[in-house]
Amino acid sequence: TENLCETVELLKAHGIRSYAAHLKGVNFYDQENYRDGTAFLIGNEGNGLTDELTEQADTLIRIPMEGKLESLNAGVASAILMYEAYRQRR
């Protein structure tokens, strides 16, 4: 999409909640309910999500990490979140 912020607004208009994977997330990813319409926002390893996009997310979530890691690979983070949504829906 050319404008991700507009896309998030369109998703909201259709009842789809957006969850941003973010270090400032209060809840861990497995403490949320993904049974209804769900969109995950995941930034790249170097820059993360923009402030504007982070503010548009309905909920900030985080994936627990051990040691001195600052972030996960975007593909790994995506897989963890999508699997959790799948697990809740089966």
Side-chain angles (χ1 to χ4, degrees), residues 1-12 17-22 39-44 47-61:
T1 182
E2 287 186 31
N3 187 326
L4 195 50
C5 290
E6 285 180 9
T7 301
V8 171
E9 287 302 316
L10 181 63
L11 292 171
K12 285 183 187 188
R17 289 189 53 83
S18 60
Y19 296 86
H22 201 281
F40 293 117
L41 306 174
I42 300 176
N44 65 32
N47 299 318
L49 296 169
T50 64
D51 291 339
E52 181 182 18
L53 191 54
T54 299
E55 290 172 12
Q56 282 191 284
D58 293 305
T59 304
L60 302 184
I61 55 174

Side-chain angles (χ1 to χ4, degrees), residues 29-51:
Y29 75 98
D30 58 355
Q31 295 173 310
E32 298 293 336
N33 180 347
Y34 309 121
R35 289 184 178 93
D36 295 324
T38 300
F40 293 117
L41 306 174
I42 300 176
N44 65 32
E45 296 90 2
N47 299 318
L49 296 169
T50 64
D51 291 339

Side-chain angles (χ1 to χ4, degrees), residues 42-45 63 65 71-80:
I42 300 176
N44 65 32
E45 296 90 2
I63 299 170
M65 296 176 287
S71 66
L72 293 174
N73 170 279
V76 171
S78 298
I80 290 169

Side-chain angles (χ1 to χ4, degrees), residues 23 63-72:
L23 292 175
I63 299 170
M65 296 176 287
E66 297 293 326
K68 297 180 182 182
L69 294 174
E70 291 183 13
S71 66
L72 293 174

